[in-house]
Amino acid sequence: MNAQTSRDAFTRVRDFAGAVRQVESLSALRGLLGDVVPSFGVDYFLMAHHVDFGRPIPGAVQMGNYPREFVARQREVGGWRHDPVLLACERTTTGFFWSQLGELIQLQPKHMQRVAEVRRAGLGEGFAVPNHIPGEYSGSVQFAVEHGRSFPKEMASALQSLATYAFEAARRLARSSEEPIVLSAPLTERQLDCLLLAARGKSDTDIGHLLGISPRTVNSYMEEAKRRYCVATRQQLMILALFNRQITFSEVLQ
């Protein structure tokens, strides 16, 4: 992805992040996602906690625009426990393409049968973004293209950020309005220093050199910050810090 394409994608993610704060219902969020997803070159999205599909659980998120045949089959087979993509989500915290499933789980005949069913439902390549929040059901956001189309793999990083914003908004809307968006303490000044440099793409070694501390100390600050925000990955930490305005897009782009 060239620099202009990357900046355009980042701008769309930024605009989505601003719009999603104004959304007041899950149906409105679904509509917003349905409008923005095609601008990244994909056709379908599915955002859900990994509970039995079609059996709503209070506080659980389930929304998307997948083909009806896929949704019907998902209910028939008993939910996420038989889905190789969702099983793979349980083994990683970063986004992955469906074509990489064999690198994350041992594919069995029943998994290959599900892959074939997905193709028959009209879905081609997909990209899954796991979402793990301590104390909650695991979840994921998946993006897919129609069978026969090429997936715009250069958009993976932007889609991962989009997914994190979307899932955070869905969690907020699915819970009681009295609950805060993030159950966490504000980050310390040193944690913010490390987080901001990490958001600019710096490695722990680079950050340590700039701040005059060891890479191990940088990692400690980042791990402490993740625990404060109750998240599993640095990307989730960055997104929530932006969401809570502890860091800003202008600071990241400096």
Side-chain angles (χ1 to χ4, degrees):
M1 181 164 56
N2 62 42
Q4 184 59 49
T5 301
S6 177
R7 184 166 291 274
D8 289 345
F10 182 84
T11 297
R12 290 196 294 275
V13 172
R14 182 195 60 193
D15 291 345
F16 178 82
V20 81
R21 294 193 184 99
Q22 310 303 318
V23 171
E24 297 181 351
S25 70
L26 288 169
S27 60
L29 175 60
R30 183 187 184 281
L32 181 61
L33 272 169
D35 290 340
V36 75
V37 161
S39 71
F40 291 88
V42 295
D43 303 305
Y44 301 110
F45 74 92
L46 177 67
M47 177 165 58
H49 280 108
H50 297 172
V51 296
D52 285 347
F53 203 75
R55 299 179 182 178
I57 292 176
V61 173
Q62 292 186 355
M63 69 170 67
N65 66 349
Y66 270 27
R68 291 182 179 179
E69 180 183 345
F70 175 90
V71 176
R73 181 57 181 162
Q74 186 79 349
R75 292 177 179 177
E76 287 176 10
V77 300
W80 71 270
R81 294 174 183 82
H82 301 276
D83 189 317
V85 174
L86 301 192
L87 289 172
C89 283
E90 299 297 310
R91 291 162 171 77
T92 183
T93 59
T94 59
F96 60 90
F97 292 101
W98 293 353
S99 55
Q100 297 174 314
L101 279 173
E103 301 172 18
L104 296 169
I105 63 173
Q106 184 175 356
L107 290 172
Q108 301 177 14
K110 63 181 179 180
H111 298 145
M112 298 308 299
Q113 181 180 349
R114 288 289 292 135
V115 170
E117 289 171 352
V118 168
R119 296 289 184 267
R120 286 196 294 271
L123 301 181
E125 175 69 291
F127 181 69
V129 182
N131 192 284
H132 302 297
I133 302 294
E136 296 186 12
Y137 290 104
S138 294
S140 63
V141 183
Q142 299 184 47
F143 304 96
V145 294
E146 291 182 353
H147 184 56
R149 287 193 60 212
S150 296
F151 195 101
K153 293 189 174 182
E154 70 276 8
M155 290 293 175
S157 180
L159 287 171
Q160 178 143 335
S161 295
L162 184 79
T164 306
Y165 277 116
F167 212 107
E168 181 60 23
R171 291 177 60 245
R172 168 174 59 85
L173 293 166
R175 298 179 304 193
S176 167
S177 60
E178 285 77 24
E179 284 192 78
I181 294 177
V182 180
L183 300 174
S184 62
L187 303 182
T188 67
E189 182 176 354
R190 207 52 159 168
Q191 290 166 354
L192 284 171
D193 289 339
C194 293
L195 176 60
L196 189 55
L197 290 169
R200 293 173 181 167
K202 304 295 185 183
S203 68
D204 285 1
T205 300
D206 293 335
I207 296 170
H209 179 74
L210 291 169
L211 298 180
I213 56 180
S214 71
R216 178 173 294 182
T217 301
V218 173
N219 184 68
S220 295
Y221 280 127
M222 295 296 288
E223 291 301 310
E224 291 168 0
K226 284 161 57 178
R227 287 193 291 271
R228 285 188 174 219
Y229 267 72
C230 299
V231 296
T233 70
R234 291 189 178 189
Q235 184 161 33
Q236 288 173 321
L237 174 63
M238 294 172 193
I239 295 298
L240 291 179
L242 284 164
F243 217 100
N244 280 1
R245 297 181 174 87
Q246 285 213 270
I247 60 175
T248 65
F249 282 104
S250 60
E251 288 176 314
V252 173
L253 289 174
Q254 285 180 4

